Amino acid sequence: MGNLKDLTALSLSDNLLTGPIPSSLGKLTMLKRLILGRCQLSGSIPTKEMGNFTSLQEFDVSDNNLYGNLPNEICNGRSLETFIVFNNHFQGPIPTSLRNCTSLTRARLEGNQLTGHISQAFGVYPNLIYIDASNNNLYGELSPNWGKFTDLIMLGLSSNKITGSIPPEIGQLTRLSVLEISSNSLVGEIPKELEMLSSLFSLNLSGNHLSHIAPSQLGRLSNLETLDLSSNRLSGLVPQQIGSLSRLSFLKLSHSNFGGSIPSNQPSNLQFLDLSHNFLTGEIPPQLGSLQWLEELNISHNKLCGSIPSSVASKEILVSLDLSYNQLEGPLPNGIAIERASPEAFQNNRGLCGDSKGLHPCDSFSAGHGPTRKIVIMVVVMVFVIGLVGILCLPRHTEKFTKREADETSSGEVVVISVLNHNGSDLYSAIIRATEDFGSKYCIGEGGYGKVYKAELLTGQVLAIKKLYSFEEGDAAAAAQEAFRNEIQMLTEIRHRNIVRLHGFCFHMLHKFLIYEFIERGSLARFLRNNEGAVELDWVKRVKVIKGVAHALSYMHHDCIPPIVHRDISTNNILINWNFEACVSDFGTARVLKPDSSNWTTLAGTYGCIAPELAYTRRVTEKCDIFSFGVVALEVMIGRHPNKLICSLSTSRGRNMLLKDVLDQRLPPPEDDVANEVILTMIFAMACVQDQPQFRPTMWRVLEELSSCMHPFSVSLNTLTLSQLMSLRSLGLDSAHGGKINGLLEELMNNTDVTCIGDQNEPKPELSGCQHKGNKQLKTRYCPSRCK
Ligand SMILES: *[C@@H]1O[C@H](CO)[C@@H](O)[C@H](O)[C@H]1NC(C)=O
Ligand SMILES: *[C@@H]1O[C@H](CO)[C@@H](O)[C@H](O)[C@H]1NC(C)=O
Ligand SMILES: *[C@@H]1O[C@H](CO)[C@@H](O)[C@H](O)[C@H]1NC(C)=O
Ligand SMILES: *[C@@H]1O[C@H](CO)[C@@H](O)[C@H](O)[C@H]1NC(C)=O
């Protein structure tokens, strides 16, 4: 390659190339673009040879395993604009030629071990838009010069060894959207000049030694959505002005020295509030319960007193609550948020009482009652809880599994529970007869735990029989048994139009199987796999299928107590009925999120559909299903597994793809109203596959959005890019933009400045994990589009 003397651009990124970068590439002196990112290159950069580029503009070796020094002369040609080396193991100083490299617009150095004085290593770059040097070993104080990069949109210097205070000049960066200087050793105050950062979208100064917030109008940061000042030494009152930040959805002020009471005036769009580990006193303001979108509330480790407001207790979308280590008193109020919370959420308080969550019973029941009384209470409570589950999960059906029969056959092992008008052992024999003892010609599918057979009974009834593999013994057998029991438990509690109905089950020495209603058209995966199916499943049907899945999941997450997480949503487990309605099936791995059990588990689910956090934390929450939902929704829209698409969203090329080009090409492009629904579905599908679970919307929200706003958009789907969809999502669809997605879309199309971090063409912090280490999350928010 070194002989291709006239080559001006060489891009080999996103491949599986290994080994070192050959030094002969240094002979390509005409190169303007050298792009070797996201491969598996190792070794050190041939620094000597790389000094001869005279017109290099773009240099990208990110996401490899490169080590050693960076080439000092890289900007000798004085035309370098883009310098991207993040996520490698580079050591040593920042290249000296970079200091005078005034052409620089974009520098990404994060995730290396670079050393040097933060202010001496960098010069002044009039054109710089984006710089991230987080996760390195840079030291020294920030110079006032950082205030001179007037075009800067992103400044990331987190996790270094920066000392001194924040220069007030930073306030001059009026285009700045993201400011992250967390995990350093900054001291002093947060200067009041920061209030000038009117474009700021995300501010993270956590993990420093900052001691106070200058009295200011923080409230002027009207675009702020994420504010993390946690783990500092901030004292005084929680600034009242935060309450007026109407776009703020993420607020973390934990692990500091704040005192006084919790301001009752909180940002109206707050989704996440963490004030834990402070010295807050007074009562919990009931107004917290009226924050419409609050999903997570952590005010543990304070000195709060009084009782728990019922407005908080009954907050439907509050999925995470922690009130531990306070001085709260009184009976635990009833409410879905309380029931969902774990017992740890209430421990170490002065006088909380109640009949659950491991608390002492309240006065009327307490002192002096013997064990018999306790048992009676427990039974009453259990009956109540069981009744509640029944009421909440079976709202429209009073019928129960009443016709329970235990039948003995010659083997003495058959137990069939039936809700059909069948006698248990008759049904058993009928199924054996109808499938010719599970003959292969009746097999219609196969999954991890067994095969599925179609059984047409003599009565005309058609059933799907899921027969579990009979493992000999050991773990596999135990897992299969466990899955079997889970499935029964789940399905007997669930009745929903979009969830496959269980008619009965059978335990037999020879066979263990589940009896389902037969869903005519088979799995969603089957439709998408073959071309005829794909054409039959037109855009209207596809949107309907996705809504059906959203209905099913929303029901399981929000209407069942405790919430039920499916854990294995994939196109194989979604069946299509005669009316092209989605029916979610296969609850083999689902499990009830019991409040008193930890939700840690072994990895279940279908590869490629599981949420990234499951791969390392194994913590099961509803957010995992939401990720899988996003994957399924994307798959339905693009007609193939979206893994590649999700990964490509982190590259600018991927983001610049047109929506019309990623949609399933086997169908003609959607038009008119359907196009609107497709756009809306894509926006939310992409929101659901974010790496950071806390930024995924709840199923309830997804459902509401998908089934509300039906204004016709006046934009053409043909010119919409994925990055515009992502901006739209992160902007939220809120009142600031007229509350209408179409208005927002129009603005985007007219190319006005409505993107989440400033410049439309500016690639955003990486969205998707895929193979990237230490990636940044893009903060997004979900504002309601109140079209109803
Ligand atoms: C780079 O330039 C130096 C001096 O200008 C020269 O000695 C060296 O051979 C060149 N390297 C390559 C790989 O062309
Ligand atoms: C940068 O420019 C200044 C003056 O413009 C010069 O004194 C200095 O030597 C240059 N530094 C580098 C590393 O080229
Ligand atoms: C702020 O930075 C810290 C450490 O660098 C990180 O752990 C935290 O997640 C960041 N906060 C937000 C909201 O991104
Ligand atoms: C609440 O915050 C504390 C400490 O800040 C943390 O230990 C705890 O895990 C958090 N609770 C939840 C439910 O996240």
Side-chain angles (χ1 to χ4, degrees), residues 23-29 48-52:
S23 56
S24 62
L25 290 192
K27 289 198 278 183
L28 305 177
T29 52
K48 240 185 23 237
E49 290 79 2
M50 293 266 164
N52 291 359

Side-chain angles (χ1 to χ4, degrees), residues 134-135 158-159 180-184 202-207 226-230 250-252 272 692 694-695 776-777 779:
S134 300
N135 290 302
S158 294
S159 300
E180 297 184 343
I181 325 184
S182 60
S183 298
N184 278 289
S202 171
L203 175 60
N204 191 347
L205 300 174
S206 71
T226 303
L227 178 58
D228 188 348
L229 303 178
S230 61
F250 184 104
L251 175 58
K252 188 165 175 179
F272 176 102
Q692 301 282 324
Q694 70 265 33
F695 299 146
K776 301 235 152 271
Q777 79 269 13
K779 177 69 190 79

Side-chain angles (χ1 to χ4, degrees), residues 2 36 97 101 246 302 350 372 379 395 402 418 487 496 501 559 564 574 653 726 739 760 766:
L36 305 172
S97 66
C101 193
S246 63
N302 278 295
R350 181 190 284 164
T372 348
V379 169
T402 44
S418 165
E487 188 148 0
H496 191 280
R501 179 81 186 273
D559 297 340
I564 294 167
I574 295 165
R653 202 184 45 184
M726 285 157 68
Q760 185 124 187
E766 307 310 322

Side-chain angles (χ1 to χ4, degrees), residues 11 28 127 197 241 349 427 454 500 534 556 583 656 679 737:
S11 174
L28 305 177
N127 303 313
L197 300 175
Q241 297 91 336
N349 269 291
L427 180 58
K454 178 177 178 181
V500 175
M556 290 198 285
C583 295
N656 289 333
I679 293 172
H737 290 273

Side-chain angles (χ1 to χ4, degrees), residues 13-49:
S13 62
D14 295 285
N15 277 299
L16 302 172
L17 300 172
T18 54
I21 297 175
S23 56
S24 62
L25 290 192
K27 289 198 278 183
L28 305 177
T29 52
M30 304 301 283
L31 271 189
K32 289 188 172 135
R33 304 175 63 220
L34 177 58
I35 309 207
L36 305 172
R38 294 168 303 280
C39 292
Q40 291 162 16
L41 299 170
S42 53
S44 59
I45 292 190
T47 40
K48 240 185 23 237
E49 290 79 2

